[in-house]
Amino acid sequence: MIIPRIKIVLKKFFRNKLNYIICLLIAFCFSFSIMISSLTYSAKEYYENDIFNFVSYRIFSISNPQNKESLIKTLNNMPEIESVFDSYGYMSPWELPSFYNYFSDTKTPSIWLLGIGGSIDANNNQKINLTNKLEMVCPSMYIPYTQNGVPIKDKEIDLTSYVGKTLTIKYIDSNNPKEYEVKLVGLYDNDKIGKNYDMCYMNYQALEKINKEVLNLPKTNIYYELKNIIYEESVTNKLQNIGYYPDPVIFLNRMPAIDSLNMLVYISYGIFGVVAIIILALVYYKILKDKENNMLNKLLGYSNKNSLFNYVIDALLLFIFSIILLFVFVFLLLKIFKVIIPKYYTSFKNIPLLISYSSLIKTICLIFILSLLLNIIIFIFGQKREKHNV
Amino acid sequence: MSAIKIKNISKEYGTKNKKVHALDNITKEFQYGKFYLITGHSGSGKTTLLKIMGLVDNETKGEIFIKDKDVAKLSVKEKAEIRNKEIGFIFQEFYLDKYLTALENVTIPMLINKKYKDYSEIKKRSTDLLKQVGLESRIKHFPKELSGGEQERVAIARALANNPDIILADEPTGNLDIANEEYVFEYLKKLSEEGKCIIMVSHSKDALKYADEVIELKEGKLL
């Protein structure tokens, strides 16, 4: 007679409003924590795979190595490294005469040219392999800086219409006024390199060639470009083991981006704590209410095994109902987060909000354990109280 | 064969230093077809005696036989089976499950009785029992939708669900008006005449006229 017993437990479960409240609370607090972990997960994925992996952050330099040839050989043998350059003037400032007339004042717009060995992630998911000709990739929205490095505010230039055209560049040093015509072959998303809206990329051999003509500096540093940012630590460790200490060409402070999410994580902990206390109070209330039920079951001849069966079914119902509500909440919160996050967390506006499946599975397991535990507690404490009351 | 036989039953509560003798060396035999009334002042041990006979509390000393079976030799599971099949309980507070209808409340003891193979059989018996206590029109009502008298009748129907031979009633009319009290006494009397052993604890003087035997307890002892 299992089915009718399950039906009775089912009816009791759905007729007890307390169960709805407990399920709602469980679903709400867990869905919120799922959303926070999903957001953190999405942000980490986005930063690791998209922002942090942008070419600027994948280039490292080793200053004044003792044995250049041996180091170049070692670096070339590392599978994690895309390209190695023994270069000087790797990153240099250039004026943009093409835009001189763009400003009414006397300020001179400029760019930084950075040499790269591999490809660059350009807009529209394009990967552009720069050749050793005079061609470059610049930010979509160029914000010019003065020669002193002061941004010229409210003078953002949309470079979209310049793609495929040539721009004139002139080395900042006024004693050597040589100009070059460089073809703009593509654009990249400004957000990928923080606030440096004047950074353009050129093949390192092409850049070296023009740098050599305008600068006459000795080659002191070795540069290497990682295939992926995930190799950073392993390559750094390998090099440190043999006495070289690489530095990133553009320092990337990863933590603030992720840390800004900490507030949300603390909020979710707070919600979790408050809800946990409410759930405990409700469970205690349920224990008091179930005291009669336990006594009644015993009087009607229900063995502990029979009573426990009812509680296990109750736990399963609590679990299933909470999970259904959890999915509803997650769906709704996903919609809300997609509206709120870009508004209040502008640095995450491009993050595709992904549900963290590992966190979802962990949560489902946790709710299952919690449902069983709650009912076992109610059963055990109900039994104890019943002894005093019968 | 007697329904219940108790021999030298004693029950003590409290610690070693401060003991309360709820029952003191009680011996009594209860027969089928008789209506027993247990009376006595509050704290005289009436309810304790009923609980021990109903196997929901343990005696400190003595022996209990239900249908000549020595209860001391029974396992917890076997005791639960006796409570389910051989004994029906009725209480002053009714103890109905508030989330279940009258009909569903009556089905509960039958759901774990292996005698019933089919739920429709259980449902039919529950309906019949509720008809017998005059509640055919209230079977789908929840306890809160029923009056005290009606709730007590549902409790009686539930106590009879597995057709037990022994009915233990603890102040079943304590919360009822005179008309409903009379109905309950008469119904229990009828059951005793049908061959069941009815043991009822009551303070009501009206109960005396229905009882075949009155057992008076004073400070845990039989008078």
Side-chain angles (χ1 to χ4, degrees):
Chain A
M1 205 62 75
I2 298 288
I3 303 295
R5 276 175 65 191
I6 293 173
K7 275 186 183 170
I8 287 284
V9 179
L10 205 92
K11 282 176 183 172
K12 282 173 74 173
F13 181 87
F14 285 107
R15 286 169 188 168
N16 187 350
K17 282 176 192 152
L18 197 63
N19 289 326
Y20 290 91
I21 299 169
I22 293 175
C23 288
L24 275 168
L25 286 171
I26 290 176
F28 175 72
C29 89
F30 279 102
S31 60
F32 198 77
S33 73
I34 285 179
M35 288 316 295
I36 298 301
S37 43
S38 295
L39 187 62
T40 316
Y41 162 78
S42 305
K44 278 182 181 160
E45 284 283 301
Y46 174 67
Y47 275 89
E48 287 295 336
N49 296 330
D50 206 350
I51 301 290
F52 298 158
N53 202 34
F54 193 61
V55 64
S56 298
Y57 307 120
R58 286 192 274 119
I59 300 174
F60 294 80
S61 76
I62 299 170
S63 309
N64 303 311
Q66 283 180 345
N67 190 341
K68 249 187 190 183
E69 283 67 37
S70 154
L71 177 61
I72 291 173
K73 203 175 166 189
T74 307
L75 293 170
N76 275 323
N77 285 334
M78 286 188 182
E80 302 95 331
I81 290 175
E82 172 81 46
S83 53
V84 181
F85 4 115
D86 173 12
S87 178
Y88 59 86
Y90 167 74
M91 186 163 70
S92 51
W94 297 79
E95 284 179 22
L96 276 178
S98 308
F99 294 126
Y100 281 170
N101 298 330
Y102 195 80
F103 306 101
S104 54
D105 53 28
T106 54
K107 287 165 184 167
T108 311
S110 64
I111 53 165
W112 282 87
L113 268 181
L114 188 67
I116 59 169
S119 60
I120 181 167
D121 294 319
N123 287 350
N124 305 321
N125 295 323
Q126 261 187 303
K127 271 202 185 292
I128 297 176
N129 274 305
L130 290 162
T131 65
N132 55 7
K133 290 175 188 163
L134 288 180
E135 51 187 36
M136 63 180 177
V137 173
C138 289
S140 310
M141 301 305 285
Y142 163 64
I143 297 176
Y145 286 66
T146 64
Q147 283 182 34
N148 300 326
V150 181
I152 305 169
K153 285 178 184 169
D154 307 323
K155 283 289 178 188
E156 194 176 64
I157 303 172
D158 185 351
L159 294 179
T160 313
S161 57
Y162 293 88
V163 176
K165 294 176 183 168
T166 55
L167 293 171
T168 310
I169 61 165
K170 181 185 163 192
Y171 192 68
I172 291 270
D173 185 354
S174 56
N175 296 329
N176 195 349
K178 196 166 183 186
E179 288 187 355
Y180 296 91
E181 293 295 315
V182 184
K183 189 179 178 187
L184 183 66
V185 291
L187 301 171
Y188 70 88
D189 180 5
N190 291 47
D191 288 340
K192 296 202 168 168
I193 190 157
K195 288 172 182 168
N196 295 315
Y197 292 157
D198 61 346
M199 187 72 76
C200 293
Y201 299 87
M202 188 181 269
N203 175 278
Y204 78 97
Q205 287 164 330
L207 182 63
E208 188 181 45
K209 197 179 159 196
I210 59 169
N211 274 348
K212 209 174 176 179
E213 290 170 11
V214 293
L215 298 164
N216 196 12
L217 297 170
K219 289 181 180 181
T220 51
N221 297 347
I222 297 285
Y223 297 88
Y224 64 85
E225 184 179 318
L226 291 174
K227 281 182 181 165
N228 196 302
I229 194 71
I230 55 168
Y231 302 129
E232 183 193 345
E233 211 182 312
S234 67
V235 169
T236 304
N237 288 343
K238 281 180 196 169
L239 291 169
Q240 282 178 351
N241 286 342
I242 52 170
Y244 295 108
Y245 294 89
D247 289 314
V249 165
I250 293 179
F251 181 71
L252 169 66
N253 190 1
R254 297 177 182 199
M255 294 319 288
I258 303 295
D259 280 356
S260 63
L261 283 173
N262 281 351
M263 197 183 78
L264 281 176
V265 174
Y266 293 135
I267 291 173
S268 88
Y269 285 161
I271 289 178
F272 206 89
V274 171
V275 171
I277 291 166
I278 297 171
I279 290 174
L280 281 178
L282 289 175
V283 166
Y284 182 70
Y285 179 71
K286 211 177 168 191
I287 289 170
L288 294 179
K289 287 269 163 193
D290 268 27
K291 153 194 101 171
E292 263 183 26
N293 208 24
N294 266 315
M295 189 189 81
L296 182 67
N297 281 342
K298 193 171 181 182
L299 290 173
L300 297 180
Y302 276 66
S303 61
N304 282 345
K305 198 177 145 191
N306 283 328
S307 294
L308 194 61
F309 173 84
N310 289 359
Y311 280 97
V312 169
I313 297 297
D314 210 56
L316 288 176
L317 289 170
L318 190 74
F319 166 68
I320 294 166
F321 198 54
S322 299
I323 294 298
I324 293 169
L325 285 173
L326 178 87
F327 280 104
V328 173
F329 277 134
V330 166
F331 176 76
L332 290 175
L333 283 174
L334 192 69
K335 295 254 174 207
I336 294 167
F337 271 46
K338 277 185 175 171
V339 175
I340 288 176
I341 297 296
K343 246 183 187 176
Y344 298 101
Y345 288 85
T346 44
S347 49
F348 298 136
K349 68 174 186 222
N350 293 323
I351 296 177
L353 195 52
L354 308 164
I355 295 295
S356 159
Y357 288 105
S358 69
S359 132
L360 191 67
I361 290 165
K362 276 181 207 161
T363 305
I364 289 172
C365 294
L366 208 64
I367 292 179
F368 179 72
I369 294 166
L370 186 74
S371 310
L372 268 180
L373 211 64
L374 288 182
N375 276 278
I376 288 170
I377 288 171
I378 293 169
F379 172 69
I380 292 170
F381 280 86
Q383 292 275 315
K384 276 192 176 176
R385 292 194 63 84
E386 170 218 310
K387 276 183 186 166
H388 293 292
N389 287 283
V390 171
Chain B
M1 183 172 64
S2 54
I4 299 178
K5 194 158 76 181
I6 52 173
K7 268 168 113 179
N8 308 319
I9 287 291
S10 293
K11 178 73 183 176
E12 290 169 0
Y13 291 113
T15 57
K16 275 185 185 176
N17 301 329
K18 206 176 178 183
K19 277 183 185 170
V20 177
H21 294 271
L23 293 174
D24 192 2
N25 209 28
I26 293 177
T27 298
K28 177 76 194 161
E29 214 168 311
F30 297 89
Q31 302 296 337
Y32 290 112
K34 276 192 143 189
F35 191 146
Y36 296 90
L37 174 67
I38 303 176
T39 61
H41 293 294
S42 290
S44 59
K46 307 183 297 288
T47 302
T48 306
L49 180 63
L50 214 62
K51 282 176 190 169
I52 288 173
M53 289 194 292
L55 310 183
V56 287
D57 201 353
N58 295 323
E59 65 285 1
T60 312
K61 270 193 281 181
E63 292 171 290
I64 305 168
F65 297 88
I66 291 180
K67 287 190 167 180
D68 287 347
K69 276 184 207 160
D70 186 354
V71 168
K73 289 176 183 166
L74 299 177
S75 66
V76 174
K77 196 182 164 192
E78 284 167 329
K79 280 183 189 173
E81 244 184 82
I82 287 184
R83 282 199 298 273
N84 180 248
K85 291 172 189 166
E86 313 292 349
I87 304 170
F89 291 93
I90 307 168
F91 304 93
Q92 184 180 348
E93 287 86 9
F94 324 128
Y95 290 130
L96 297 178
D97 194 316
K98 65 175 180 178
Y99 299 114
L100 297 178
T101 61
L103 182 81
E104 287 159 354
N105 262 294
V106 179
T107 63
I108 290 177
M110 290 184 268
L111 292 174
I112 52 161
N113 188 341
K114 285 173 187 156
K115 187 177 104 181
Y116 300 99
K117 302 284 176 212
D118 192 0
Y119 185 65
S120 59
E121 203 184 330
I122 290 175
K123 215 168 156 183
K124 189 182 174 299
R125 173 150 178 82
S126 303
T127 312
D128 288 345
L129 284 166
L130 286 169
K131 269 183 194 166
Q132 279 176 37
V133 293
L135 290 177
E136 58 267 44
S137 61
R138 317 287 271 169
I139 56 173
K140 285 185 179 170
H141 286 66
F142 289 96
K144 65 177 178 189
E145 297 163 345
L146 302 171
S147 69
E150 286 170 329
Q151 287 187 53
E152 191 65 295
R153 287 190 225 177
V154 176
I156 292 171
R158 185 183 60 193
L160 296 171
N162 283 326
N163 198 20
D165 292 326
I166 303 160
I167 301 287
L168 302 177
D170 190 5
E171 303 268 10
T173 60
N175 285 334
L176 303 183
D177 57 30
I178 294 167
N180 276 306
E181 184 184 75
E182 207 177 297
Y183 175 87
V184 171
F185 289 157
E186 274 174 11
Y187 197 83
L188 292 175
K189 180 70 185 167
K190 192 181 121 207
L191 291 172
S192 74
E193 285 165 358
E194 285 169 6
K196 293 189 191 301
C197 170
I198 311 294
I199 305 170
M200 179 176 80
V201 166
S202 181
H203 282 115
S204 170
K205 283 178 185 168
D206 290 335
L208 291 168
K209 63 182 175 193
Y210 296 94
D212 295 314
E213 193 178 326
V214 178
I215 301 158
E216 204 177 343
L217 282 174
K218 193 178 180 186
E219 291 170 1
K221 287 180 183 169
L222 274 183
L223 288 182

